[in-house]
C-alpha cells in the first residue's frame, strides 16, 4: 500500500507459497521509505487470516500521515 509522498508498507504472510517473503523485501527495497509488515503463521490469504490486524496496520499507516 502506498500513500502520497514516499511512504509505503508492503504486507505479506511469512508462509506464503505463492509470493515468497523475499519478493516483498525486494519490492520494499525499490520503494523509497517503504517498510515490510509480516504476518506470522500466515499464507497468501493473510488478509483473511488476520483481517483485524491488517485493518489496524492500515489505519495506523494512514494515521501516521502515510
Amino acid at each position: 500500500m502506498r500513500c502520497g509522498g514516499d511512504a509505503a508498507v508492503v504486507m505479506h504472510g511469512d508462509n506464503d507459497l505463492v509470493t515468497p517473503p523475499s519478493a516483498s523485501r525486494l519490492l520494499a527495497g525499490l520503494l523509497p521509505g517503504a517498510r515490510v509488515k509480516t504476518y506470522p503463521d500466515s499464507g497468501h490469504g493473510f488478509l483473511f487470516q488476520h483481517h483485524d490486524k491488517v485493518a489496524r496496520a492500515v489505519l495506523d499507516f494512514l494515521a501516521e500521515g502515510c
Side-chain angles (χ1 to χ4, degrees), residues 2-42:
R2 192 172 173 102
C3 181
D6 287 337
V9 62
V10 179
M11 300 180 192
H12 75 268
D14 67 350
N15 292 326
D16 192 331
L17 300 178
V18 177
T19 306
S22 60
S24 293
R25 291 190 296 274
L26 176 65
L27 177 60
L30 296 172
L31 299 170
R35 62 181 183 257
V36 176
K37 176 76 174 157
T38 303
Y39 293 89
D41 302 318
S42 301

Side-chain angles (χ1 to χ4, degrees), residues 37-61:
K37 176 76 174 157
T38 303
Y39 293 89
D41 302 318
S42 301
H44 198 67
F46 73 91
L47 286 167
F48 301 103
Q49 293 171 295
H50 297 286
H51 62 278
D52 52 339
K53 293 178 185 174
V54 172
R56 173 54 35 206
V58 170
L59 292 173
D60 289 347
F61 177 72

